[in-house]
Amino acid sequence: MFLEETEESGKSELHVQLASKENLCIANIDKKNTGLLFLQEGKAKSLYKRVDHMIFEKKQGNQWKLHLIEMKGSVGTEKWKDIKGKFRASYLVAQALAGMLELDISETVMYTTYERAEFAHPDTMPAARHGRSGAPQIRMKDEWDGNRFGLNFGERISFRHIPIKMERNGDGILSGKLEG
């Protein structure tokens, strides 16, 4: 599969090669009307944002592996929070679609393509280094690297996150590969 992000702020292309030839791909799902009316609106919950691409990869029987892909040029602290909101909402949409299509999701992997990632807090903002009290503290860098990555659905559920490093090609477009 060939997936693209066409926004001027971060044109990207990702070549995806999966083991299965039986896949369902929703490219540019963030540009499609995928609103589920029972999800709450509002920025705080991020339930109306979507990742860029969603792939259901057929495994054996009726088992499917879900791939959620968000394409970015650069990722920092605030953008990472936004990306996690997109993963959360997109996972719920994928669960709804799987239910309608009677697919059994056996595994979910979330990917973020990027050129640069920086999770250091600014030296001029010491308060940014303090986490919320009463909740376990997980460093963003650890989540990004795939260690202890999880999303909050009333309880924290762990997932695999794989960052995909992209390189600029001769046309200035970020390009990368996902092989699974």
Side-chain angles (χ1 to χ4, degrees), residues 10-176:
K11 287 189 176 188
S12 302
E13 57 188 30
L14 184 66
H15 299 271
V16 180
Q17 185 171 1
L18 302 174
S20 174
K21 298 295 182 204
E22 296 181 55
N23 304 303
L24 302 173
C25 178
I26 306 173
N28 301 307
I29 191 168
D30 58 331
K31 309 249 186 320
K32 295 176 172 55
N33 184 7
T34 58
L36 300 175
L37 299 179
F38 57 85
L39 296 177
Q40 292 180 1
E41 293 186 40
K43 184 175 178 160
K45 304 227 182 202
S46 296
L47 292 176
Y48 276 90
K49 295 184 173 191
R50 303 287 180 264
V51 295
D52 295 311
H53 310 286
M54 181 182 295
I55 302 170
F56 292 89
E57 178 186 8
K58 178 120 168 126
K59 296 314 245 180
Q60 54 194 67
N62 193 34
Q63 301 284 304
W64 295 79
K65 181 177 181 178
L66 174 62
H67 302 269
L68 298 176
I69 303 165
E70 177 65 14
M71 301 174 87
K72 292 291 183 194
S74 63
V75 179
T77 304
E78 288 305 311
K79 204 174 278 187
W80 178 238
K81 289 177 190 174
D82 184 51
I83 291 168
K84 285 176 52 178
K86 289 180 179 186
F87 281 142
R88 186 169 158 257
S90 298
Y91 178 75
L92 293 173
V93 168
Q95 289 290 330
L97 289 171
M100 287 182 251
L101 297 172
E102 298 181 350
L103 307 177
D104 182 17
I105 298 175
S106 59
E107 180 183 359
T108 300
V109 183
M110 300 179 185
Y111 307 86
T112 308
T113 68
Y114 72 102
E115 181 180 28
R116 291 179 316 281
E118 177 62 49
F119 294 104
H121 294 288
D123 292 336
T124 58
M125 295 178 60
R129 292 185 213 109
H130 298 291
R132 294 186 345 235
S133 60
Q137 299 300 309
I138 299 171
R139 291 178 49 226
M140 287 184 193
K141 178 80 167 95
D142 288 342
E143 285 187 314
W144 172 259
D145 290 336
N147 305 317
R148 301 180 66 200
F149 176 72
L151 300 173
N152 183 3
F153 294 95
E155 68 178 64
R156 186 178 166 83
I157 299 176
S158 294
F159 294 96
R160 280 182 53 208
H161 176 261
I162 300 174
I164 300 173
K165 178 80 168 136
M166 306 282 270
E167 301 291 334
R168 291 211 180 264
N169 64 20
D171 297 326
I173 298 172
L174 292 174
S175 183

